[in-house]
Amino acid sequence: MTVNLTKGQAISLTKGDGGSLTSVRMGLGWQAAKRRGLFGSRTREIDLDASAVLFAEKQPVDVVFFRHLQSDDGSVRHTGDNLIGGAGQGGDDESILVDLQRVPVHIDQIVFTVNSFTGQTFQEVQNAFCRLVDETNGQELARYTLDGGGAYTAQIMAKVSRSGSGWQMTALGAAANGRTFQDLMPSIVPHL
């Protein structure tokens, strides 16, 4: 059963049988919004990028993105860069896999961001979503939908953080501006 998250909503990452999740996938999907032009509707390619920033005591210690596809410890892995999107409501255009059991104990939060590398605003994007999937069985656990557009080029989508002996996910949905995760760091800090 999927939980449709709203901004700021948190869910515990435990299985229905009480066990903890061991491996999750954060998926990102989007489509370019159709624009009316002189010769009808058309779309412009949009390159959104998913990133995961790993924090220890509110300090960034590693990042996974299209130029660094795996965390230094190997627990977080990006599946590759998609330059045009297209999945929208369907499958994922970019994915980041997290082996929660292998995340080093000093890492207490992982923040997932999405930014428009090509600089278009989210007014030019449609059907954008971020979702969390139990990688062991493919079941979608939670989905955060970017509804409406905005005059911003990035979004701090969600974070997973340690909660006791397990993890929880919080949908952040915070608008930001920047073409890379580095540009977003000042906007991420208030959400830690």
Side-chain angles (χ1 to χ4, degrees), residues 46-49 114-125 150-156 174-180 183-184:
I46 296 177
D47 179 9
L48 295 185
D49 289 322
V114 58
N115 54 272
S116 174
F117 187 74
T118 44
Q120 293 98 334
T121 68
F122 279 92
Q123 292 169 324
E124 299 176 69
V125 177
Y152 49 89
T153 59
Q155 180 109 172
I156 302 159
N177 282 296
R179 292 182 53 233
T180 66
D183 298 338
L184 304 180

Side-chain angles (χ1 to χ4, degrees), residues 9-87:
Q9 183 180 1
I11 61 165
S12 175
L13 298 183
T14 55
K15 291 188 173 190
D17 63 6
S20 293
L21 290 173
T22 57
S23 183
V24 295
R25 174 172 27 103
M26 182 64 70
L28 167 67
W30 75 93
Q31 294 174 324
K34 293 197 182 308
R35 296 172 19 161
R36 301 268 322 144
L38 185 60
F39 300 105
S41 295
R42 59 191 172 119
T43 59
R44 183 173 154 201
E45 291 180 356
I46 296 177
D47 179 9
L48 295 185
D49 289 322
S51 302
V53 185
L54 290 70
F55 288 88
E57 298 182 15
K58 299 186 179 185
Q59 296 300 313
V61 294
D62 202 354
V63 65
V64 174
F65 70 117
F66 69 92
R67 289 191 180 139
H68 185 245
L69 294 175
Q70 184 167 295
S71 61
D72 294 338
D73 59 60
S75 65
V76 182
R77 186 173 52 89
H78 195 299
T79 60
D81 194 15
N82 181 316
L83 302 176
I84 59 170

Side-chain angles (χ1 to χ4, degrees), residues 141-161:
L141 304 170
R143 177 178 286 258
Y144 180 71
T145 303
L146 281 164
D147 51 358
Y152 49 89
T153 59
Q155 180 109 172
I156 302 159
M157 296 294 288
K159 70 177 179 178
V160 292
S161 51

